[in-house]
Amino acid sequence: MNRRPKVAFLDVNETLSDLRSVVGAFEAQGLSAEHVRTWYLSVLRDGFASTVLGDNPGYAAIGQEIAKFLIREVDPARDDDAVDDGAAAIMTAMVAAQPHSDVVPGLVALANTGVRVMTLSNGSADVAKKLLGSTPADAAVEKYLSVIDAGAWKPAPASYRHGLMESGVAAADALMVAVHPWDLEGARRVGLRTAWINRSGARWPSLFAPPDVEAESFTALALEIGQTAD
């Protein structure tokens, strides 16, 4: 990246939040650690499908239904009230998920480079606020944004345009940061630059154009952005 962005939009679920921190809540309902990722990918699937169909459902509403489905799948004999309670416990845990270890220092460092920082989530803005609100990173975040106000889930163009409207920044001066290649591809097609947080050392999928920046953590991303010209 040869020019510093004016604003960085951050994906929240899995990019900022560490899904490993909710494994215990799934296991308490008879599910396994693997079900956490199944739950998450299923929520994305149904959210994407709803967006294609012209709807804009709440992340939590989909999440609760997926949790119920998974609980019934592993324990068909459980009564409806117990299933509802189990799904509610899972959703409570999701709201209380913890950030990855690199997130708080990385966001503070990113804001210190002069880049404005905003979250842009398919989930609730309140959940993102809860994730960071009691940490030093809260002061680094200018706005917590959700696609519920955009009318469409990411990677629909309207979601990124909502972020641009809220920031007052042109697409070419904005950076989308995520662990998800599909999210970055959606942003790229609207004209934003992209940064891939690749904590696992995965290979970028050839289906999408490569990101402008690849970093192993938010702290590494902040260091790289800090070395670019204004």
Side-chain angles (χ1 to χ4, degrees):
M1 183 177 293
N2 55 18
R3 182 169 53 87
R4 191 174 303 171
K6 293 181 179 178
V7 62
F9 296 110
L10 316 178
D11 175 55
V12 175
N13 295 303
E14 201 172 29
T15 297
L16 301 183
S17 60
D18 187 350
L19 296 184
R20 294 172 299 182
S21 66
V22 303
V23 168
F26 278 71
E27 291 178 338
Q29 301 306 319
L31 301 169
S32 67
E34 288 73 20
H35 279 108
V36 177
R37 187 142 190 87
T38 299
W39 176 88
Y40 178 62
L41 295 177
S42 297
V43 172
L44 290 181
R45 176 201 64 205
D46 289 359
F48 294 165
S50 296
T51 293
V52 170
L53 294 170
D55 299 326
N56 187 31
Y59 188 97
I62 295 178
Q64 182 123 343
E65 289 304 308
I66 296 297
K68 290 179 185 179
F69 175 85
L70 293 175
I71 292 170
R72 288 193 177 103
E73 189 174 47
V74 299
D75 188 3
R78 193 180 303 195
D79 65 51
D80 287 346
D81 288 343
V83 169
D84 289 346
D85 290 345
I90 285 174
M91 295 309 298
T92 297
M94 294 304 301
V95 172
Q98 298 300 301
H100 289 281
S101 60
D102 61 292
V103 166
V104 172
L107 297 194
V108 171
L110 184 59
N112 285 341
T113 68
V115 175
R116 297 163 61 194
V117 177
M118 301 183 186
T119 64
L120 182 59
S121 178
N122 280 338
S124 164
D126 290 340
V127 171
K129 175 73 173 177
K130 184 173 178 61
L131 179 71
L132 301 175
S134 62
T135 76
D138 181 55
V141 179
E142 180 180 327
K143 289 184 179 181
Y144 293 90
L145 304 177
S146 170
V147 300
I148 198 68
D149 299 312
W153 282 41
K154 295 181 295 174
S159 60
Y160 306 103
R161 289 175 182 146
H162 171 65
L164 295 173
M165 181 185 68
E166 287 288 328
S167 68
V169 169
D173 291 321
L175 179 72
M176 185 70 213
V177 186
V179 297
H180 307 294
W182 55 261
D183 196 348
L184 300 180
E185 178 66 9
R188 184 190 70 81
R189 294 192 185 199
V190 177
L192 284 74
R193 287 179 284 170
T194 58
W196 186 33
I197 302 298
N198 183 14
R199 296 186 180 97
S200 66
R203 288 190 178 185
W204 181 264
S206 59
L207 178 65
F208 303 133
D212 294 292
V213 180
E214 179 179 338
E216 64 182 7
S217 66
F218 271 96
T219 48
L221 176 65
L223 180 62
E224 181 161 350
I225 288 178
Q227 294 172 344
T228 61
D230 292 333

